[in-house]
């Protein structure tokens, strides 16, 4: 075990209903999902832009995307993905330091 996708960070646009707690619970019930975080990024009159972070073992992106669509959302982008036996933490590079200035 310990192979496949272990971390997904998704940029998602969703309607206000259903609320994010319902979406989080729906995603958490999928096979292989160990945890789900949903962070509100932006809100307007009809929609919410959220960042969804999902951790688990051998995550099925297609099933996750389909579940988000069933809740009325759409995945704009995959902002981060980690695969393999363990999640590798991002390290700061010299280029990152230059961007701070």
């Amino acid at each position: 075990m310990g192979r496949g996708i272990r971390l997904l960070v998704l940029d998602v646009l969703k309607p206000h209903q259903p609320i994010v707690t319902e979406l989080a619970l729906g995603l958490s019930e999928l096979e292989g999902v160990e945890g789900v975080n949903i962070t509100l990024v932006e809100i307007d009159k009809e929609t919410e832009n959220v960042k969804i972070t999902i951790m688990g073992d051998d995550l099925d992106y297609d099933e996750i995307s389909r579940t988000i669509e069933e809740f009325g959302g759409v995945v704009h982008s995959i902002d981060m993905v980690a695969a393999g036996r363990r999640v590798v933490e991002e390290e700061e590079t010299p280029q990152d330091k230059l961007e701070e200035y």
Side-chain angles (χ1 to χ4, degrees):
M1 236 19 203
R3 301 237 180 237
I5 297 174
R6 299 188 53 110
L7 170 74
L8 278 172
V9 179
L10 306 173
D11 177 23
V12 173
L13 185 68
K14 65 171 281 309
H16 295 302
Q17 296 296 325
I19 61 174
V20 291
T21 54
E22 294 174 25
L23 176 56
L25 289 170
L27 290 168
S28 71
E29 293 174 0
L30 298 178
E31 187 172 337
V33 174
E34 294 175 13
V36 177
N37 289 354
I38 300 181
T39 304
L40 181 64
V41 176
E42 191 175 353
I43 190 167
D44 69 21
K45 188 175 174 184
E46 296 176 11
T47 60
E48 300 170 350
N49 182 243
V50 295
K51 178 176 82 169
I52 300 178
T53 303
I54 303 172
M55 287 196 77
D57 193 38
D58 200 20
L59 298 173
D60 183 340
Y61 172 75
D62 291 334
E63 185 179 24
I64 290 167
S65 178
R66 198 168 29 255
T67 300
I68 290 169
E69 289 173 7
E70 287 171 5
F71 279 84
V74 65
V75 176
H76 276 182
S77 63
I78 299 173
D79 292 351
M80 181 184 288
V81 63
R85 289 191 193 103
R86 65 187 181 104
V87 174
V88 178
E89 296 297 322
E90 271 192 66
E91 297 295 327
E92 192 172 76
T93 65
Q95 292 85 350
D96 295 329
K97 291 178 184 176
L98 289 174
E99 291 175 6
E100 293 174 5
Y101 295 105

